[in-house]
Amino acid sequence: MAALTVLPGSTAAETDDLLFLTKPAAEWQKEVFPLGNGRLGGTIFGGVAEEQIQFNVDSLWTGDENLKGSYRDPGMGHYQNFGDLYIELNAKGAETNYRRELNLSTAVSRVSYEQDGTEFVRETFCSHPDQVIVSRLTASAKGKYSGRIRLDGGREEETAAADGRLSFSGTLDNGMDYEAQVLVAAEGGSLKPDGDGLVFSACDSLTITLAAGTSYIMDYAKGWKGEHPHALVTKQAEAASKQPWATLLERHVKDHQSLYKRVAIDLGTTDQALLALPIDGRLAAIKEGKADPDLEELLFQYGRYLLIGSSRPGTLPANLQGIWNHVNKAPWHSDYHSNINLQMNYWPAEQTNLAECHTPLFDMLTASLEPFRKGTKLAYGDDIRGFTIRTSHNPFGGMGWKWNIPASAWYARHYWEHYEFGRDRKFLETVAYPFMKEVCHYWEDHLKELPDGRLVAPDGWSPEHGPVEDGVAHDQQIIWDLFSNTIEAAQELGTDADYCKKLTAMRDKLAGPQIGKWGQLQEWMVDRDDPKDQHRHISHMYALHPGRQISPLTTPEFA
């Protein structure tokens, strides 16, 4: 029997959630271990001759307001790779007992191996309290570390090296300033500048601190641009580098576990022989039919780990790749996709006790309202109230590709769900309800009445499947959900009684779910569903999840 326990406060689980491999990462997308503090993220390769830490800052974006809606540069923009930190190591000889692990419970990456009788260990984490990535290299014998450190920007920036510090800065075409700094502290041996890098020789250990930032601020009225990040990045790097490694680690783990250890899950027990295998071996065993409930538990917690790492109060929300991206032209711009992807990032937020991690979504959407409104009026006319959103958007309120007309209504569900779990009346009154009501205004003006009196969303599209036409089930279900949630929100606040009556009447006139000729829930008003259709999307199931229009308890005829 499976058990999910939501724990009060930061109660710790008995064991760590650990995944490991016995080889360095060769491919970024499949094998690196991610670290993040919501704003700053890094991925660890774990090479022996050379360690690579690729890093990102959530706001390093090209692009702008993009009112015309093109999905091309420069308007839409791309989420950028900030850069890479390389640690070249001169030690010779073949390594043995190599192990690269990621501890989800502590959010610490660890690389260990033996070489010529010496054990080498690297531990890395991305601290939310101190806003830096910190990596410490130690060995079982003194004077074993010699090599070179370099810091490469993602756009061929020039790196400066001096007095244990590496740095680069730049300005994107949209005017966004950015900067990264690395401070290196060596115990024993020597450390000195060497061109655009730092050379270290015969050191006992190294502690490396990386800070990075941009001039982005989440404020449309200020053009999304604040102060140059130099002063803040310098302050973060220097403040952290003055702290002992143990203090930084303790602060980081305490902060991470205050979120991570709120939830425990028990799906059963995995055989000890299987537990001893690295992750790739356990996955291969599953393909052979072996049961591994502990790995399923790990996957559940890994999802929570990624949300903690890519979405914290005060940051941008998690994008298509969370916060991690190693190229400057990522697939789909590594943007915010409104047709399910961004929403799916946050499905676990409330249910798995990470409500704080949900707030960046509301912050960015609320900050983007004015460009959303402007884009909507350009497409649908000045008389239409409210707003909707294209399929893709960036952190400047710029939108791209096709209009996804129910997108803003789907986003509104997240505002309501956050209130349902937290019961924060101020949030409902000042943030959620105004957003929800404004989206309702769009649909009040946009719905189409059929000859039989039913209301339908015109020119809808069941995402990436079928024709563009009126009354698509996906759209109808989302609008029903929007009206229902907004009515309940108004009732919670004791306001807008007459408006609630209007919304109730409109909701009850919406064309609803239909059963087709082979017993299926119809995806369109026309009964054209093909039982042999293997399309991967099930958009017309919104009413079941995350919506609530269909339930085995209330609508057994549809469930």
Side-chain angles (χ1 to χ4, degrees):
M1 179 180 292
L4 174 65
T5 304
V6 179
L7 304 171
S10 57
T11 304
E14 292 182 0
T15 58
D16 287 338
D17 294 325
L18 196 71
L19 55 92
F20 76 93
L21 289 163
T22 55
K23 59 184 179 181
E27 185 176 349
W28 182 90
Q29 188 165 345
K30 294 181 178 180
E31 297 177 338
V32 296
F33 286 159
L35 303 170
N37 66 14
R39 182 191 66 87
L40 174 66
T43 53
I44 312 301
F45 281 76
V48 174
E50 180 181 74
E51 175 63 280
Q52 178 183 355
I53 301 176
Q54 180 273 325
F55 63 98
N56 296 98
V57 170
D58 62 351
S59 56
L60 190 64
W61 266 84
T62 58
D64 53 36
E65 197 173 325
N66 198 35
L67 287 175
K68 293 183 179 179
S70 171
Y71 201 46
R72 299 179 182 275
D73 283 336
M76 183 61 200
H78 282 79
Y79 181 46
Q80 299 289 287
N81 167 34
F82 211 113
D84 296 86
L85 173 66
Y86 294 95
I87 308 169
E88 302 167 9
L89 298 167
N90 293 343
K92 305 298 182 182
E95 74 276 5
T96 58
N97 297 324
Y98 179 93
R99 180 181 171 103
R100 178 168 60 95
E101 64 185 40
L102 178 63
N103 189 322
L104 304 184
S105 303
T106 62
V108 175
S109 167
R110 188 176 191 272
V111 176
S112 62
Y113 56 91
E114 293 179 11
Q115 197 171 43
D116 290 335
T118 300
E119 182 185 18
F120 294 89
V121 176
R122 297 178 219 144
E123 294 176 284
T124 308
F125 59 87
C126 187
S127 170
H128 181 261
D130 292 288
Q131 289 296 307
V132 291
I133 295 174
V134 188
S135 187
R136 182 164 171 81
L137 288 69
T138 58
S140 61
K142 292 184 178 296
K144 292 296 183 179
Y145 278 110
S146 296
R148 189 173 188 271
I149 300 171
R150 73 179 196 271
L151 179 66
D152 290 357
R155 283 146 299 282
E156 299 183 354
E157 296 87 348
E158 182 177 337
T159 298
D163 300 325
R165 186 191 303 261
L166 299 173
S167 64
F168 68 79
S169 62
T171 303
L172 299 178
D173 290 342
N174 60 5
M176 185 183 294
D177 300 315
Y178 59 93
E179 183 167 329
Q181 294 186 28
V182 167
L183 294 183
V184 182
E187 295 181 19
S190 65
L191 175 70
K192 60 183 180 180
D194 176 54
D196 60 356
L198 297 173
V199 171
F200 55 94
S201 179
C203 296
D204 303 336
S205 65
L206 296 167
T207 302
I208 302 171
T209 304
L210 185 154
T214 77
S215 59
Y216 175 88
I217 56 172
M218 202 180 293
D219 191 335
Y220 172 76
K222 295 181 179 179
W224 312 99
K225 186 174 181 181
E227 296 179 356
H228 193 285
H230 172 75
L232 181 58
V233 169
T234 302
K235 179 180 177 181
Q236 290 168 342
E238 292 182 352
S241 66
K242 292 175 183 177
Q243 296 293 318
W245 160 265
T247 300
L248 293 171
L249 178 62
E250 181 181 10
R251 283 163 53 83
H252 159 72
V253 172
K254 181 178 180 181
D255 170 79
H256 174 73
Q257 292 188 343
S258 71
L259 294 169
Y260 184 83
K261 290 206 168 182
R262 291 176 179 177
V263 169
I265 186 169
D266 183 1
L267 300 177
T269 303
T270 295
D271 183 86
Q272 287 297 316
L274 197 53
L275 280 176
L277 295 177
I279 287 296
D280 50 0
R282 293 171 72 176
L283 290 172
I286 287 176
K287 290 180 181 179
E288 295 173 357
K290 295 183 180 179
D292 191 346
D294 280 13
L295 186 57
E296 295 173 18
E297 296 167 10
L298 200 63
L299 180 61
F300 169 84
Q301 293 287 24
Y302 190 54
R304 297 181 68 248
Y305 170 88
L306 292 175
L307 187 58
I308 294 169
S310 60
S311 185
R312 291 284 204 107
T315 74
L316 283 166
N319 62 42
L320 279 175
Q321 296 178 188
I323 197 176
W324 302 278
N325 173 40
H326 69 306
V327 294
N328 291 330
K329 296 212 170 181
W332 296 282
H333 303 240
S334 192
D335 62 28
Y336 303 101
H337 257 47
S338 69
N339 59 356
I340 194 170
N341 303 88
L342 182 53
Q343 294 93 327
M344 286 178 68
N345 284 349
Y346 289 93
W347 280 354
E350 306 293 337
Q351 290 88 341
T352 70
N353 208 0
L354 294 175
E356 299 96 323
C357 297
H358 210 169
T359 59
L361 177 63
F362 312 131
D363 292 343
M364 185 188 72
L365 293 177
T366 302
S368 300
L369 284 176
E370 190 55 33
F372 287 169
R373 292 167 184 145
K374 289 165 68 175
T376 300
K377 288 185 181 298
L378 280 173
Y380 294 99
D382 289 337
D383 293 335
I384 197 160
R385 297 174 297 161
F387 65 94
T388 191
I389 302 171
R390 292 181 183 269
T391 300
S392 300
H393 53 103
N394 65 28
F396 314 108
M399 299 181 283
W401 205 47
K402 294 185 178 183
W403 283 99
N404 178 26
I405 54 173
S408 56
W410 194 340
Y411 284 160
R413 155 159 277 282
H414 284 261
Y415 285 77
W416 175 241
E417 187 172 274
H418 186 66
Y419 170 74
E420 282 194 302
F421 275 83
R423 312 304 292 180
D424 182 344
R425 186 178 178 87
K426 183 178 179 181
F427 170 81
L428 180 64
E429 183 175 7
T430 63
V431 180
Y433 185 63
F435 186 96
M436 297 165 71
K437 187 175 179 179
E438 186 171 353
V439 177
C440 287
H441 289 332
Y442 171 82
W443 286 106
E444 289 173 66
D445 295 350
H446 195 63
L447 284 171
K448 175 181 178 180
E449 186 172 4
L450 297 178
D452 62 7
R454 289 183 296 170
L455 296 175
V456 294
D459 301 322
W461 187 39
S462 195
E464 301 179 19
H465 192 208
V468 173
E469 62 185 31
D470 298 345
V472 171
H474 169 261
D475 297 355
Q476 298 296 119
Q477 294 167 8
I478 292 175
I479 300 165
W480 186 96
D481 195 54
L482 168 70
F483 286 177
S484 296
N485 295 338
T486 305
I487 292 165
E488 289 190 24
Q491 292 170 344
E492 284 280 315
L493 295 171
T495 189
D496 287 343
D498 290 341
Y499 184 62
C500 285
K501 292 177 182 178
K502 178 183 179 180
L503 279 188
T504 300
M506 294 184 71
R507 180 195 63 187
D508 294 346
K509 291 175 66 177
L510 288 169
Q514 300 179 95
I515 302 298
K517 55 182 175 288
W518 50 278
Q520 87 285 6
L521 183 68
Q522 288 184 203
E523 191 165 356
W524 303 275
M525 294 188 74
V526 176
D527 190 0
R528 66 164 63 87
D529 301 285
D530 182 351
K532 297 180 181 180
D533 189 344
Q534 298 298 310
H535 194 276
R536 66 192 185 283
H537 287 184
I538 49 173
S539 301
H540 55 304
M541 299 297 287
Y542 178 97
L544 179 65
H545 180 82
R548 55 194 173 102
Q549 189 175 6
I550 293 177
S551 165
L553 299 179
T554 59
T555 58
E557 68 275 21
F558 292 116

